[in-house]
Amino acid sequence: SQMGVPEINAFLSHLAVHDQVAASTQNQALNALVFLYRYVLYQDLEGDINPIRAKAPERLPVVLTRAEVRAVMDQLSGQHLLMAQILYGGGLRLLECLRLRVKDIDFAQRQIVVRDGKGMKDRLTMLPTGLIEPLREQLAAVKALHVQDLALGLGNAYLPFALERKHPNAGREWIWQYIFPARRISPDPRTGKLRRHHYDETMLQRAVKTAAQKAGIDKRVGCHTLRHSFATHLLENGYDIRTVQELLGHKDVKT
């Protein structure tokens, strides 16, 4: 707690220059330190965290054709299908999709609100018309599950940041429930409280990878591939690159 931004910059720069770690490893270290100060030490970091950056390997993203996307979707069903359709239809990252809550879906405006995305920024993206009815059905099933949890004295969803301290009962409200909840109740590692967390990301990753293999697609396909395909297909359809950048939540148009 006696150290601050200068020490963090020095440590992260050491990782890049001396240890020559990958950019992803340096980013993980940065995220862990930010989490430590924000959620464990409850301290604000003053100043800019701007270390010498580790070089990221330059790789072209894997993109599926529209036919390949359909082939992957044909191999999925249930929640896995709906989640994959949201990844592709809205360009969401994996955890952005799994962390969606009831209040983040705007059926009237056909929009999805992505909260606390990369860089801790909120953004709006599109909700395809074809997903409205499946999402309504998913919400109906989740609401029934939430009612059961409440009857058992549970149903208290994890709340971000300090909101739970200010409004300790807000987590029981319907709007805060995850759209894709976990199948089982488990203890919150921070507090020990029993909660229903969001769906396990490894399960969806495995389902998408398996679906691509069953579809006979000879590419390295994962959940992020659907996001890349979303962006590519929008550009092919004539969307302005700045619009696509905003939908993806990219800070730099080059990415």
Side-chain angles (χ1 to χ4, degrees):
S1 62
Q2 301 300 315
M3 297 188 294
V5 169
E7 289 78 13
I8 290 176
N9 281 329
F11 171 68
L12 295 174
S13 296
H14 179 83
L15 290 180
V17 177
H18 183 268
D19 294 345
Q20 296 185 337
V21 301
S24 59
T25 301
Q26 188 187 41
N27 288 335
Q28 285 180 337
L30 171 59
N31 291 336
L33 288 168
V34 170
F35 183 92
L36 171 68
Y37 276 83
R38 179 175 293 170
Y39 297 111
V40 179
L41 301 177
Y42 297 106
Q43 291 185 11
D44 293 327
L45 289 170
E46 298 181 0
D48 294 330
I49 300 177
N50 189 26
I52 298 172
R53 304 298 300 187
K55 291 185 178 180
E58 295 184 4
R59 297 192 182 100
L60 291 175
V62 176
V63 175
L64 300 177
T65 66
R66 288 173 174 80
E68 288 172 334
V69 170
R70 287 193 294 271
V72 171
M73 299 300 178
D74 286 343
Q75 298 297 326
L76 295 168
S77 61
Q79 281 195 119
H80 288 159
L81 173 59
L82 181 55
M83 286 186 273
Q85 288 173 326
I86 290 175
L87 293 176
Y88 174 67
L92 275 68
R93 299 177 178 91
L94 171 60
L95 284 177
E96 289 174 345
C97 173
L98 298 182
R99 289 172 178 166
L100 286 174
R101 300 178 191 251
V102 174
K103 64 186 181 64
D104 298 332
I105 304 298
D106 187 339
F107 288 109
Q109 298 295 325
R110 292 194 300 175
Q111 291 179 333
I112 298 174
V113 183
V114 181
R115 303 185 190 275
D116 301 325
K118 195 172 183 180
M120 304 302 289
K121 294 181 179 179
D122 296 351
R123 73 179 190 277
L124 294 174
T125 189
M126 57 184 67
L127 170 61
T129 303
L131 298 186
I132 290 178
E133 191 56 35
L135 262 175
R136 289 190 186 279
E137 293 175 0
Q138 172 68 13
L139 289 176
V142 173
K143 190 161 192 175
L145 182 63
H146 180 52
V147 170
Q148 292 178 15
D149 287 347
L150 289 174
L152 295 173
L154 302 169
N156 198 343
Y158 163 76
L159 296 181
F161 309 114
L163 188 60
E164 188 168 19
R165 294 198 302 272
K166 295 179 181 178
H167 306 285
N169 294 320
R172 297 169 62 85
E173 296 177 11
W174 166 236
I175 62 171
W176 284 103
Q177 304 309 306
Y178 289 115
I179 294 176
F180 300 108
R183 295 172 179 173
R184 297 181 180 179
I185 300 290
S186 60
D188 187 327
R190 304 172 310 148
T191 64
K193 289 183 179 180
L194 292 177
R195 302 186 190 276
R196 192 179 294 278
H197 199 50
H198 62 65
Y199 194 78
D200 185 351
E201 59 264 32
T202 60
M203 299 291 287
L204 180 57
Q205 289 171 327
R206 189 178 302 123
V208 170
K209 182 179 180 180
T210 301
Q213 292 172 344
K214 288 182 177 179
I217 298 174
D218 297 325
K219 296 178 181 178
R220 189 175 181 179
V221 178
C223 291
H224 212 65
T225 310
L226 298 174
R227 174 175 157 87
H228 287 310
S229 302
F230 160 82
T232 300
H233 296 165
L234 286 183
L235 292 172
E236 290 175 351
N237 285 345
Y239 275 74
D240 179 80
I241 192 169
R242 293 290 181 182
T243 300
V244 176
Q245 177 189 357
E246 291 177 2
L247 292 172
L248 291 173
H250 278 173
K251 185 176 181 180
D252 191 336
V253 70
K254 294 179 182 179
T255 57

